[in-house]
Amino acid sequence: RLAHGEGGNDAQLLEPDYITYNAILDALDKGDQTDLADMIYEDAVCNGLIQHWSDDDDDSVIMGTSVMDLHSFSVPMAKAAVRMVMRTTELGPEGGHYPEPGDDQP
């Protein structure tokens, strides 16, 4: 949140929106500040300003799982979305181990 106003008495809080987050993510991407970009992106998702999952029920039925929809995302925002999904799904339901090709399956 940013304080805006002249003097200090009439300061108002400005709430960032989709455009603000997109501009910040673009600048952080250009500055190679991936960790900060990921924190900013997660904040936008948690505040409901950005959604990377498809709302189209047909996608889920066809794929049998959740589908990301990055059509309206800039490249820096899409990269942050993919990193978030990879980070949040890497632990997986079995404590984080996804078998490598050739691993013995129980």
Side-chain angles (χ1 to χ4, degrees):
R1 294 185 183 156
L2 302 172
H4 174 69
E6 296 187 25
N9 298 334
D10 60 351
Q12 300 175 357
L13 290 180
L14 299 176
E15 294 290 332
D17 59 11
Y18 181 89
I19 294 169
T20 308
Y21 279 105
N22 194 46
I24 292 169
L25 291 170
D26 185 51
L28 292 172
D29 186 64
K30 288 178 182 173
D32 202 24
Q33 297 184 43
T34 304
D35 291 340
L36 185 54
D38 290 349
M39 288 177 17
I40 297 291
Y41 181 80
E42 186 173 337
D43 182 65
V45 170
C46 290
N47 286 320
L49 294 171
I50 298 174
Q51 173 59 267
H52 48 248
W53 297 115
S54 174
D55 289 333
D56 188 351
D57 290 335
D58 291 338
D59 287 343
S60 295
V61 171
I62 292 170
M63 301 299 287
T65 187
S66 297
V67 175
M68 293 182 76
D69 181 4
L70 307 176
H71 285 94
S72 63
F73 284 28
S74 64
V75 171
M77 188 179 286
K79 291 185 335 187
V82 170
R83 285 192 304 266
M84 181 178 181
V85 169
M86 296 297 292
R87 198 173 48 255
T88 57
T89 59
E90 71 184 350
L91 294 178
E94 306 302 322
H97 178 70
Y98 286 94
E100 295 293 322
D103 278 358
D104 291 331
Q105 300 291 321

